[in-house]
Amino acid sequence: MTNRRINRKALWESSTSLRCLRPENPPAEYELHVSTNGIEVSSNGVIVRVGSDVVLGLFPSSSAVLASRSVTIVGSNFDISGSYSVRFGGTDQRAEVVSSTSISCMSPIRADATTVAAVLIRDGQEIDSVSSFTFAFTPRPEFSRIVPNNGFCKQDTPVQLNAVLSLPLNEVRCKFGDHVSNSVGSQGGAVVCVAPPSDPAVLEVWISVSGSEFFSTGRSFECLKPMRVDAISPAVVQRQATTSVTLSGSDFLCLKQIFCQFGSLPVTTAVCVSSTALQCSSAQLQAGNYSVAVTYNQVDFARGSTPLFVTEGVEVLAVLPNKSSIF
């Protein structure tokens, strides 16, 4: 039993009941004394025992290599005044006691993908209850491409990141330049993030997996000034094998591949005449009205306000009479 004296303020509940907080100290037995108005009352030999540290789990239990992340150890009886660390394999990381049930630390940075034992250390001594916990350092994913690799500025653009390794989709964050975006799902096994609005620029794409620090994917996303379609000429055409029109507008980048779309039909490749003129053609137009749009990436579209009207052509079946007398 310890001779250390610790004072705790008691809460009066009734004439037969008091409540107070237990000492947050190393495991030991304490003799309980009660005093009122500075006068000590005999405890009649009541002994209380402060329990040892109990660890229930370590979360999260993995991190990408060459990255550090915050790790929380949950349990009970943690001493706020104690000195703790967490040993990942052979590397000790200083830990901070958040409460009697929570301890936090940063995982170490490792270059190799491996799994190590995670052990809680208190005052230089290992706590046996965590010897069965492990922490995994996982390989960084490699990215073969991102689709699309450009989009209009000032609007959100879904971007698909094709990774060589599968990723935990609910724990992925993307960063386009300085703009952070959470993953919004998957498509064909790839991560989909939204490129947020930005000024025109080429943005390096970074990624964070399972809460790790951001690292570069080696890919970039180009934010482009949106094209604008002001007019279409001619606005009324007769249906024929191939329909060709000229779009007038602004901010057409002839160095980029540009596509046209009539209504909801598949896109066709545009001919960029200048930054203010495009030529668009389609071989599938039937009689009707069609909105006309242009795009770089087949995801972000700029639509004109004037539709294209396609009318039925006039077909000559016969000329009657087919002869005439000459006087």
Side-chain angles (χ1 to χ4, degrees):
M1 184 173 63
T2 181
N3 293 322
R4 185 179 178 183
R5 189 179 186 91
I6 301 170
N7 293 322
R8 286 287 186 268
K9 184 177 180 180
L11 176 66
W12 182 88
E13 291 187 330
S14 69
S15 60
T16 59
S17 176
L18 295 174
R19 177 181 295 182
C20 64
L21 295 175
R22 68 169 180 79
E24 294 174 331
N25 289 282
E29 290 183 345
Y30 295 85
E31 185 175 2
L32 181 62
H33 297 266
V34 178
S35 64
T36 178
N37 297 325
I39 301 175
E40 186 170 302
V41 180
S42 173
S43 64
N44 296 322
V46 175
I47 304 297
V48 295
R49 177 174 176 78
V50 175
S52 59
D53 301 90
V54 175
V55 176
L56 301 177
L58 177 144
F59 308 98
S61 59
S62 66
S63 174
V65 297
L66 299 177
S68 178
R69 68 177 308 184
S70 177
V71 176
T72 299
I73 295 91
V74 295
S76 61
N77 298 331
F78 299 147
D79 181 8
I80 293 180
S81 62
S83 176
Y84 289 87
S85 62
V86 179
R87 181 167 297 159
F88 297 87
T91 304
D92 287 5
Q93 293 290 107
R94 180 179 174 274
E96 177 183 356
V97 181
V98 180
S99 69
S100 62
T101 60
S102 177
I103 293 175
S104 68
C105 71
M106 297 299 295
S107 65
I109 296 176
R110 290 187 66 131
D112 56 324
T114 185
T115 299
V116 300
V119 180
L120 184 63
I121 308 295
R122 174 177 174 170
D123 298 326
Q125 300 295 318
E126 292 187 4
I127 296 177
D128 294 336
S129 59
V130 292
S131 59
S132 60
F133 290 99
T134 59
F135 190 86
F137 296 88
T138 59
R140 281 189 177 183
E142 298 178 4
F143 294 87
S144 57
R145 62 173 183 162
I146 66 172
V147 181
N149 60 7
N150 63 47
F152 289 158
C153 302
K154 307 305 181 186
Q155 70 182 61
D156 294 334
T157 302
V159 176
Q160 178 177 314
L161 292 86
N162 295 83
V164 176
L165 298 176
S166 61
L167 300 177
L169 299 179
N170 60 333
E171 295 188 22
V172 174
R173 291 187 300 159
C174 301
K175 186 168 70 170
F176 298 82
D178 295 327
H179 306 275
V180 176
S181 168
N182 291 331
S183 63
V184 296
S186 64
Q187 183 174 335
V191 175
V192 177
C193 285
V194 174
S198 172
D199 294 327
V202 176
L203 307 175
E204 186 174 4
V205 181
W206 302 72
I207 196 167
S208 168
V209 181
S210 301
S212 68
E213 296 177 350
F214 282 97
F215 57 88
S216 176
T217 63
R219 306 291 170 175
S220 61
F221 179 85
E222 185 173 8
C223 187
L224 303 171
K225 188 175 182 179
M227 294 180 282
R228 192 180 71 193
V229 178
D230 295 326
I232 181 172
S233 178
V236 180
V237 298
Q238 290 185 347
R239 184 169 64 86
Q240 49 192 327
T242 300
T243 301
S244 297
V245 296
T246 298
L247 304 183
S248 302
S250 61
D251 299 313
F252 301 143
L253 294 179
C254 292
L255 294 178
K256 301 292 183 182
Q257 188 172 23
I258 304 176
F259 302 92
C260 300
Q261 186 181 48
F262 295 89
S264 59
L265 295 174
V267 299
T268 58
T269 303
V271 176
C272 188
V273 179
S274 68
S275 62
T276 59
L278 293 175
Q279 290 181 347
C280 297
S281 301
S282 177
Q284 304 182 46
L285 299 185
Q286 303 297 317
N289 300 340
Y290 296 86
S291 64
V292 182
V294 293
T295 178
Y296 293 116
N297 59 14
Q298 304 183 46
V299 175
D300 302 323
F301 288 87
R303 297 193 178 275
S305 58
T306 303
L308 172 67
F309 293 90
V310 179
T311 63
E312 290 289 356
V314 177
E315 184 178 359
V316 178
L317 300 178
V319 177
L320 297 173
N322 60 4
K323 62 181 178 179
S324 176
S325 298
I326 298 176
F327 295 96

